[in-house]
Amino acid sequence: MPADQDKYILAVDLGTSGLKVALVSSRGDVVGCEIEALPLFLLPDGGAEQHPDDWWNGIKNATRRLVGSGLVPIDEIVAVSCTAQWSGTVAVDRGGYPLMKAIIWMDSRGARYVKRVTGGPITVEGYGIEKLLIWLRLTGGIPAHSGKDSIAHILYIRNELPEIYRQTYKFLEPKDYLNLRLTGRYAASYDSIALHWVTDNRNITQIVYDERLLKMVALEREKLPDLQRAIDILGPIKPEVAAELGLNEKVQVVVGTPDVHSAAIGAGAVRDYEGHLYIGTSSWLTCHVPFKKTDILHNMASLPSPIPGRYFIANEQECAGVCLDVLRDNILYHRDELAAAPPHDVYDHFNEVAARVPAGSDKLIFTPWLYGERTPVEDRFVRGGFFNQSLKTTREHFIRAVFEGVAYNSRWLLGSVERFARRRLDPINMIGGGANSNLWCQIHADVLDRTIRQVKAPIWANARGAALLASTALGYITLDEIREQVQIANTYEPNPENREIYDELFKEFVNLYKKNRGIYARLNRAV
């Protein structure tokens, strides 16, 4: 399609710390974007919530500014495609109104109830052997004992908020809730529903709810939405919503996909075994694979992809870019008697300062497990910290150590992913806000010993992926053409001079977890 005939997709990317709304051409070019910050409510009992109204108000405000900017003619905006944080739960009544705040992916309050429904007289890794075999055979995975999967949220509501559970008409993932607001229709995609662990995923082209699994978690089928493919058209936007957002009533809404999935598309890593690394608030390292498989020891499984007939390796590390936020807000610029306001370009300064320190930060090691971990270990009690500080350690060391600690965690996961895929992932496309840092890209190349390809405009990869998925749904491009629409800004090769120091420190990084996990459990079991 010639550029002058391009149509445009309004891509909504609902993250944890904020949401992005972008106008993206049918060929994947981001022509305009707006960002809205979002409040996050962390509760002392392991709870993590956000208000769906905050999501929707942010979308309205950002969309009105973006559409009102006149970057493209209104009639050329043909679709809305949402992507959003995965493993969240919005309980809505028959009118589609939220009955409580949304429980998001960081929430672990359902852990005890997951253990109840997955246990048994004879266990493997804490799972009843009979139940484990059923879950693995049908879904490819099993509810995580961390309590952070969507099914854990529902079990928490059923056991501790029974009136909310009784009033709930549907439990929706965040992406599917946004689609409800846009169209008035209840639906989930094959990929967004996966972490409820109640679907039979053996036939990747026709995924269905399974009565045995629903019975095992005592969840009524009618409380879950009907299933569709991510590339299906859900329907037209509601006229009143179109007017509210400043869009044409003919705009179509695509079923869409969660953020982990849209990131792979936006990174251009759509063929089997093409790896991509996302560094945002959280992090993941994944690729598509042509098989269904589970690694229960490392909390990974191949789950349905938004690309029809495909699986991708599902994993997530809890804290990545947020570690820099914590360094900024809780340590260097904390609001107390010693407070100093951070400069608006503080992350640029972090890069400059960290670059002055030699690779390895003079053997200062940072562990980024600030909110527990999911993969390659599932441990909700583990916590982060700085290790091996000396009298000569400076602020520069602390900053670089955070960059490196996240990269060590990426390397830890890479080993498990490559064993799962049975092949080396090289090169790896890097996206997310962290990929804006040239230094962080080079550190990852050095620590992982892999070529890192920095995707152009990496912070918009999720939105680009959502738009490219919509573009295929509407017939503007084919799935095979997606890879060619994603541009690479820079390529980073491993520096052999840093191999020895990073090999040494990575080994000790893993040892820090192994030697201290008992301490973390004792300290944080009641937290």
Side-chain angles (χ1 to χ4, degrees):
M1 178 187 300
D4 60 0
Q5 294 182 24
D6 258 344
K7 300 297 182 181
Y8 296 89
I9 293 98
L10 185 76
V12 176
D13 175 18
L14 172 63
T16 307
S17 57
L19 68 88
K20 307 178 186 73
V21 178
L23 279 173
V24 187
S25 78
S26 57
R27 294 286 176 177
D29 297 319
V30 178
V31 298
C33 48
E34 291 286 343
I35 299 176
E36 286 277 322
L38 293 172
L40 169 65
F41 305 95
L42 296 179
L43 308 177
D45 55 354
E49 298 179 345
Q50 291 186 307
H51 205 299
D53 285 346
D54 291 334
W55 299 344
W56 187 248
N57 289 332
I59 290 171
K60 287 194 299 184
N61 294 335
T63 301
R64 286 169 177 166
R65 293 197 304 270
L66 188 57
V67 173
S69 66
L71 289 171
V72 301
I74 299 298
D75 289 343
E76 299 302 307
I77 303 173
V78 295
V80 178
S81 183
C82 296
T83 185
Q85 50 180 280
W86 197 20
S87 192
T89 301
V90 186
V92 299
D93 63 16
R94 286 187 175 273
Y97 297 102
L99 294 165
M100 58 180 291
K101 291 187 181 74
I103 301 176
I104 70 166
W105 59 274
M106 300 170 70
D107 195 295
S108 61
R109 289 175 292 180
R112 73 182 72 175
Y113 305 111
V114 168
K115 291 177 180 177
R116 287 181 190 175
V117 301
T118 60
I122 303 175
T123 63
V124 175
E125 295 293 320
Y127 294 102
I129 185 68
E130 183 178 355
K131 294 178 180 178
L132 176 63
L133 292 174
I134 293 173
W135 252 302
L136 294 183
R137 182 170 62 89
L138 297 179
T139 71
I142 192 167
H145 281 163
S146 65
K148 296 181 179 180
D149 291 342
S150 310
I151 187 60
H153 305 159
I154 296 173
L155 293 174
Y156 167 77
I157 293 172
R158 188 180 71 197
N159 284 276
E160 300 199 18
L161 302 169
E163 186 59 24
I164 296 290
Y165 185 88
R166 187 189 65 79
Q167 295 179 51
T168 297
Y169 176 61
K170 300 291 182 188
F171 290 108
L172 300 174
E173 278 279 337
K175 180 265 297 182
D176 302 322
Y177 170 76
L178 298 183
N179 283 345
L180 172 66
R181 294 294 299 260
L182 290 164
T183 67
R185 300 184 181 185
Y186 297 89
S189 50
Y190 293 166
D191 44 10
S192 70
I193 203 67
L195 296 185
H196 291 69
W197 301 113
V198 291
T199 51
D200 185 341
N201 300 332
R202 290 174 295 176
N203 181 353
I204 192 64
T205 62
Q206 190 172 0
I207 292 170
V208 296
Y209 290 113
D210 185 89
E211 290 298 330
R212 289 164 293 182
L213 299 176
L214 289 164
K215 185 176 181 180
M216 284 165 66
V217 296
L219 175 59
E220 300 94 325
R221 161 64 183 89
E222 58 268 22
K223 288 188 178 290
L224 297 173
D226 291 339
L227 301 178
Q228 294 186 244
R229 301 181 306 165
I231 62 168
D232 286 338
I233 304 298
L234 183 59
I237 193 170
K238 292 196 295 185
E240 62 271 27
V241 174
E244 196 173 24
L245 300 180
L247 298 173
N248 191 302
E249 292 183 14
K250 295 180 180 179
V251 163
Q252 298 294 307
V253 178
V254 179
V255 172
T257 191
D259 56 2
V260 178
H261 313 64
S262 63
I265 297 172
V270 294
R271 298 176 184 171
D272 286 340
Y273 308 111
E274 289 183 333
H276 89 270
L277 171 65
Y278 172 85
I279 302 291
T281 299
S282 59
S283 177
W284 55 78
L285 197 163
T286 187
C287 67
H288 284 90
V289 292
F291 52 78
K292 177 175 170 289
K293 180 180 174 182
T294 303
D295 179 356
I296 191 172
L297 294 178
H298 299 98
N299 199 27
M300 295 192 306
S302 48
L303 297 179
S305 164
I307 299 176
R310 306 279 293 284
Y311 294 98
F312 82 105
I313 302 175
N315 59 65
E316 185 169 35
Q317 297 179 132
E318 292 288 70
C319 295
V322 72
C323 296
L324 286 179
D325 294 342
V326 170
L327 181 69
R328 177 195 63 189
D329 298 335
N330 294 8
I331 300 176
L332 298 182
Y333 299 100
H334 185 58
R335 295 182 180 179
D336 57 16
E337 291 81 359
L338 303 177
H344 72 279
D345 54 352
V346 64
Y347 294 115
D348 292 336
H349 291 302
F350 281 178
N351 281 281
E352 294 170 6
V353 168
R356 296 199 292 262
V357 177
S361 303
D362 289 328
K363 299 191 176 182
L364 178 71
I365 299 175
F366 171 73
T367 58
W369 311 309
L370 302 181
Y371 207 76
E373 191 52 281
R374 284 199 183 195
T375 54
V377 292
E378 184 191 358
D379 188 340
R380 65 191 181 97
F381 303 121
V382 66
R383 293 294 182 269
F386 292 94
F387 294 84
N388 204 37
Q389 179 181 356
S390 75
L391 290 172
K392 296 181 179 180
T393 302
T394 66
R395 179 164 58 185
E396 287 93 336
H397 291 93
F398 284 112
I399 295 172
R400 185 180 182 101
V402 172
F403 283 107
E404 292 176 333
V406 172
Y408 296 146
N409 221 42
S410 298
R411 176 169 168 176
W412 198 13
L413 179 57
L414 176 64
S416 296
V417 170
E418 290 187 333
R419 286 189 293 273
F420 190 105
R422 299 190 294 272
R423 64 187 64 199
R424 179 185 175 97
L425 302 187
D426 197 3
I428 296 172
N429 290 3
M430 187 164 164
I431 58 171
N436 277 319
S437 167
N438 295 338
L439 176 66
W440 220 349
C441 288
Q442 185 62 56
I443 286 174
H444 271 91
D446 293 348
V447 171
L448 272 59
D449 193 27
R450 300 290 187 273
T451 298
I452 295 295
R453 303 198 306 178
Q454 181 187 43
V455 172
K456 183 179 179 180
I459 196 171
W460 296 103
N462 289 7
R464 184 188 301 113
L468 288 171
L469 189 71
S471 190
T472 62
L474 295 167
Y476 294 118
I477 63 172
T478 67
L479 290 167
D480 291 337
E481 291 178 303
I482 288 176
R483 190 172 185 267
E484 283 66 42
Q485 312 309 316
V486 177
Q487 300 178 41
I488 302 300
N490 296 292
T491 299
Y492 301 84
E493 300 293 344
N495 184 347
E497 295 181 2
N498 297 333
R499 179 81 277 115
E500 183 177 355
I501 184 65
Y502 281 139
D503 284 348
E504 176 189 356
L505 295 183
F506 171 70
K507 179 180 179 181
E508 298 305 339
F509 175 88
V510 177
N511 282 336
L512 284 170
Y513 172 74
K514 292 179 178 178
K515 299 293 185 182
N516 293 296
R517 57 187 172 187
I519 297 174
Y520 292 127
R522 291 191 294 274
L523 289 174
N524 300 310
R525 197 173 297 279
V527 175

